[in-house]
């Protein structure tokens, strides 16, 4: 007799049917646990983020790329080649990795740019 995924799904549905979901519990400070997540930064070192030293050009390329649909579009805006944009982004990612704050995706880089003050949500 083999594994039947449908039977497993039925068992899960059956075991969770009728379960009441408890509201978020508040801790001693009166704050909901999810409210604290906004301030949580797992990559902080003793409460302070290690900010990599990005050059003005790296910041310009980063922000232009974040606002673009593609590296090619960012390259056209900056009058450089797409491979130059890729090179800048690779160096930016390397600097963040060296600071212990990896940024493998565009979303991660956007979050890092916000955390480090290179941009703000008001600009987007």
């Amino acid at each position: 007799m083999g594994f039947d995924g449908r039977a497993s799904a039925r068992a899960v549905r059956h075991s969770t049917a009728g379960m009441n979901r408890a509201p978020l519990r508040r801790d001693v400070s009166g704050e909901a646990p999810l409210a604290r997540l906004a301030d949580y930064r797992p990559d902080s070192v003793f409460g302070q983020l290690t900010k990599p030293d990005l050059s003005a050009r790296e910041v310009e390329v980063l922000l232009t790329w974040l606002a673009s649909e593609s590296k090619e579009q960012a390259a056209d805006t900056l009058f450089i080649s797409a491979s130059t944009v890729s090179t800048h982004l690779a160096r930016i990612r390397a600097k963040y990795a060296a600071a212990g704050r990896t940024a493998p995706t565009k979303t991660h880089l956007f979050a890092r740019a916000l955390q480090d003050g290179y941009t703000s949500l008001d600009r987007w």
Side-chain angles (χ1 to χ4, degrees), residues 3 6 14 31 42 45 71 88-89 98 101 109 111-112 116:
F3 175 75
R6 290 175 293 183
H14 178 71
E31 203 175 65
V45 178
K71 291 177 185 173
H88 280 292
L89 293 173
R101 301 171 62 207
L109 281 173
R112 301 293 184 239
D116 293 339

Side-chain angles (χ1 to χ4, degrees), residues 19-27 31-34:
M19 290 181 65
N20 293 330
R21 294 188 179 212
L24 283 177
R25 294 187 184 139
R26 299 199 178 270
D27 64 6
E31 203 175 65
L34 291 179

Side-chain angles (χ1 to χ4, degrees), residues 44-108:
S44 63
V45 178
F46 302 108
Q48 296 209 345
L49 297 175
T50 305
K51 183 177 176 180
D53 187 24
L54 300 183
S55 70
R57 185 62 170 175
E58 287 171 334
V59 172
E60 180 183 21
V61 170
L62 174 62
L63 296 180
T64 303
W65 176 66
L66 289 172
S68 301
E69 294 292 322
S70 65
K71 291 177 185 173
E72 290 77 16
Q73 185 182 15
D76 290 344
T77 301
L78 295 168
F79 303 104
I80 58 177
S81 71
S83 65
T84 303
V85 172
S86 294
T87 299
H88 280 292
L89 293 173
R91 288 180 182 160
I92 291 166
R93 285 189 169 106
K95 287 181 179 184
Y96 272 109
R101 301 171 62 207
T102 59
T105 67
K106 192 171 191 176
T107 304
H108 285 102

